[in-house]
Amino acid sequence: MSRSEHPVARNGQHRSDQGGFGRVASLGGGVIGRSWTALFLAAGKSVAVFDPDPEAEARVRRAVEDAWPTLTRLGLTEHGDPDGLHFCADPRQAVEGAGFVQESVPERTALKHEVYAAVEPALGDGTVVASSASGLTLTEMQRGWRDPARFVLGHPFNPPHLVPLVEVMGNERTAPGVVDRARAFYESVGKVTIEVRREVPGHVANRLQAALWREAIHLVNEGVAGVEDVDTAVSAGPGLRWATTGPTQLFHLGAGDGGLAAFCERYADSFNRWFDSLGRPHLDRATAERLVAGLRPISEAHSVDELSHRRDELITGVLALLRNGPRSPS
């Protein structure tokens, strides 16, 4: 099985726990943290959660309960136990004895540094710590550590208990083997990992979706199509293909037996013309108001919870189909 192949989507089974991480700490009980917690519990981990909000425990338990039927449908709860969850009043208590720590506290540098300073003395020798941060860089976060050797980026796509991708990154201050151990852990709970090799704002996947949204905004601003139609152009068109494989491989298939080399030769002039005409909009007030107005027929008819539930149901359906579909080439 290639590393890019989604293990859950293909056969509903977890990979073996190569890292041996039986106990996990989840720091932060917000949207990302509680989704991670549900996944870790489904994978049979004992999960200690820290969040200073007195309402966090109720929200996390409710999120786990809500996610469990979906995780079961995907074949992820065979070894799971939702009762393996407990809460800690102190982050140091949460990380004691944990082999893996997923940090998902709010993306404020000072707050993350405060949490790192608190937990670092309580970590075991082999513990790996990963941050879910999407907007902060690894270098910025490393400044909160005396020794960041066991600390990596472990950025998921929302919601983590459903979307397989995790972007993992270390750098010259990361100890040898830590990135591989983090990837092994994520893959053992059903995730698909990529390694970010150089630090850039937004990592990889966020930059890709930002590039697409930038052009979507440009098309709306230029009056080429409305917000709903641009969204439909993605979801009913290339979005379906992107659920199966990435853009470069898809274009490799677009020129028949000649493959990607023939595609580039055949369509270079067209793509270069499109590249040169792509827009560079900014999310100023007028643009934001235009987008909000364009989405109003949907946002006024359905609540955020309703739309999120529909999204998650559709993602679950796609993953279930991929799990039962033909295996991708190794």
Side-chain angles (χ1 to χ4, degrees):
M1 183 187 297
S2 67
R3 199 151 205 169
S4 63
E5 183 180 330
H6 180 18
V8 174
R10 298 306 174 199
N11 57 26
Q13 301 295 321
H14 300 161
R15 295 184 178 191
S16 61
D17 188 354
Q18 301 171 51
F21 303 106
R23 179 174 176 180
V24 176
S26 182
L27 304 181
V31 172
I32 301 300
R34 54 185 180 252
S35 182
W36 270 126
T37 297
L39 179 69
F40 296 151
L41 289 167
K45 310 300 180 185
S46 169
V47 184
V49 177
F50 164 75
D51 192 299
D53 185 344
E55 304 297 323
E57 179 172 356
R59 286 197 296 265
V60 172
R61 292 193 183 278
R62 186 166 56 250
V64 171
E65 182 179 354
D66 290 344
W68 209 258
T70 298
L71 291 165
T72 299
R73 179 181 171 189
L74 292 173
L76 291 171
T77 60
E78 181 181 352
H79 305 290
D81 180 6
D83 293 329
L85 172 64
H86 61 282
F87 286 78
C88 301
D90 188 297
R92 288 178 288 265
Q93 292 177 319
V95 304
E96 286 177 357
F100 194 90
V101 178
Q102 186 72 40
E103 173 271 301
S104 307
V105 304
E107 295 209 16
R108 299 196 297 273
T109 306
L111 178 58
K112 286 188 181 290
H113 288 181
E114 180 182 339
V115 171
Y116 300 156
V119 303
E120 187 169 5
L123 296 172
D125 290 340
T127 304
V128 175
V129 182
S131 176
S132 301
S134 59
L136 298 177
T137 66
L138 181 64
T139 300
E140 290 171 324
M141 294 185 290
Q142 283 176 325
R143 297 186 186 117
W145 293 84
R146 293 195 305 273
D147 178 7
R150 89 261 311 274
F151 176 67
V152 297
L153 176 77
H155 174 242
F157 241 54
N158 189 35
H161 72 280
L162 286 184
V163 181
L165 179 67
V166 185
E167 300 172 309
V168 183
M169 179 184 174
N171 60 17
E172 67 281 355
R173 302 188 69 190
T174 309
V178 172
V179 167
D180 286 341
R181 291 192 71 212
R183 295 183 73 177
F185 169 75
Y186 286 129
E187 291 166 7
S188 79
V189 298
K191 307 300 281 182
V192 171
T193 66
I194 67 167
E195 182 174 356
V196 182
R197 298 177 181 175
R198 187 170 68 85
E199 190 167 272
V200 291
H203 321 315
V204 175
N206 271 334
R207 292 179 68 90
L208 292 171
Q209 69 173 0
L212 175 63
W213 197 36
R214 183 174 72 177
E215 185 57 22
I217 292 170
H218 174 67
L219 293 171
V220 172
N221 280 346
E222 294 298 306
V224 176
V227 171
E228 286 191 65
D229 283 345
V230 171
D231 275 4
T232 299
V234 175
S235 63
L240 290 173
R241 301 195 305 181
W242 293 333
T244 66
T245 192
T248 304
Q249 185 173 322
L250 284 169
F251 289 139
H252 173 67
L253 305 178
D257 292 340
L260 185 61
F263 185 92
C264 291
E265 181 178 357
R266 189 177 304 172
Y267 298 110
D269 290 343
S270 293
F271 271 87
N272 286 333
R273 182 182 180 187
W274 300 340
F275 291 158
D276 291 341
S277 67
L278 293 175
R280 298 185 62 86
H282 286 266
L283 275 175
D284 52 33
R285 182 181 297 273
T287 296
E289 290 175 351
R290 188 175 297 116
L291 295 173
V292 170
L295 197 63
R296 192 163 288 134
I298 293 175
S299 62
E300 290 185 346
H302 304 281
S303 69
V304 170
D305 284 346
E306 289 172 337
L307 293 172
S308 296
H309 180 73
R310 179 178 183 273
R311 175 204 63 191
D312 291 352
E313 283 292 303
L314 290 172
I315 291 173
T316 302
V318 170
L319 290 175
L321 288 172
L322 289 172
R323 179 191 64 196
N324 295 319
R327 295 178 64 87
S328 65
S330 298

